[in-house]
Amino acid sequence: MYKNKDTIYAINHYNFFDKIVLKKRLEISNIINDLVKDIQINDALDIGTTSDDRNASSNIVIKNIKNIEKFKCISDQIVTSNFFFKTLKKSITEEFSENELYEFSSDLVISNATIEHVGGVLNQKKMIENIIKLTKKIFVITTPNRFYPIELHTKIPLIHWFPKSIYRQILKFFGLSFYANEENLNLLSINDLKNMLNNQKIVYEIKFIKLFFFKSNIIIIGKK
């Protein structure tokens, strides 16, 4: 049975963007591998792990980190992958018990493309606070740059540069109510992240991934 033209376009469109995502996430992994190559890292924790393993880019950042034996994850989804020897189903914006902190604190904590999906600013600040608590040595937080010309979730250019209230109304007009909801997508700029991190009194640096010559992804590297 032949697929209709619209289905073929959708598959090819999806594969095209997934290939780009895969390439950029491997670049992030390479940055992390270079960062920790001279540091003793016994365990790594992934924040916001997806249960979806259908795409080549799914969880690839943590899976591509080298020379680490123990990998853990915290996610609001049920993760059954054998890659992680310890998993916790919990939102990163919730309070963590002393036992949870003890069990899941790790030398390296990675959160790739999650902070833009946890809700408003208060939730994003709480996520950063919890990541710092869970970090023994280094944490890495990545997120799409709000001021990249193309919004990487909807693939629509420029409209996300409007004030957020206007941007969300436009998304609703296009039938994209899921992304119009702040609980599902709250894009961050470099200054937004700096404001959140400066209040934490943590040593950090900022790196970037570029796509078509523009800074598409922000990488925050924090050290204890």
Side-chain angles (χ1 to χ4, degrees), residues 5-6 23 61 63 76 87 90-91 103 190 207 209:
K5 183 172 66 176
D6 291 339
K23 182 176 184 296
V61 171
K63 288 181 176 180
D76 61 0
T87 66
K90 188 182 184 80
S91 170
E103 290 288 325
I190 298 166
K207 293 182 179 290
I209 293 293

Side-chain angles (χ1 to χ4, degrees), residues 74-224:
I74 296 173
S75 176
D76 61 0
Q77 303 175 22
I78 297 174
V79 179
T80 58
S81 171
N82 292 330
F83 178 80
F84 300 99
F85 89 101
K86 190 176 292 188
T87 66
L88 176 63
K89 185 181 183 298
K90 188 182 184 80
S91 170
I92 190 59
T93 62
E94 296 177 23
E95 293 293 338
F96 280 72
S97 68
E98 290 298 322
N99 185 61
E100 288 170 337
L101 290 173
Y102 176 78
E103 290 288 325
F104 286 89
S105 291
S106 302
D107 290 339
L108 173 64
V109 177
I110 299 173
S111 177
N112 178 60
T114 297
I115 194 169
E116 69 272 19
H117 297 302
V118 300
V121 172
L122 291 179
N123 277 1
Q124 290 170 328
K125 287 181 178 178
K126 186 63 178 177
M127 174 178 172
I128 291 173
E129 289 175 6
N130 282 337
I131 285 176
I132 292 171
K133 289 179 182 178
L134 288 160
T135 301
K136 293 180 182 177
K137 294 181 180 179
I138 296 175
F139 69 82
V140 179
I141 300 172
T142 82
T143 189
N145 180 9
R146 184 188 171 198
F147 290 109
Y148 184 70
I150 299 172
E151 201 289 296
L152 299 174
H153 298 85
T154 63
K155 318 302 186 293
I156 301 174
L158 301 179
I159 63 170
H160 56 296
W161 288 3
F162 286 110
K164 290 185 178 181
S165 59
I166 297 174
Y167 163 57
R168 291 185 175 118
Q169 289 300 317
I170 296 172
L171 287 178
K172 290 178 182 178
F173 176 80
F174 283 122
L176 297 169
S177 296
F178 178 85
Y179 290 116
N181 188 336
E182 183 181 68
E183 292 181 3
N184 300 321
L185 182 62
N186 190 32
L187 298 171
L188 294 166
S189 68
I190 298 166
N191 284 336
D192 292 332
L193 285 163
K194 283 182 178 179
N195 288 336
M196 293 179 190
L197 287 159
N198 288 343
N199 291 331
Q200 300 298 323
K201 298 180 180 179
I202 192 79
V203 176
Y204 70 90
E205 62 178 312
I206 300 176
K207 293 182 179 290
F208 303 97
I209 293 293
K210 289 187 177 182
L211 178 60
F212 305 127
F213 310 106
F214 294 95
K215 296 172 180 175
S216 59
N217 297 78
I218 306 166
I219 304 173
I220 304 295
I221 300 169
K223 298 180 180 180
K224 280 191 169 179

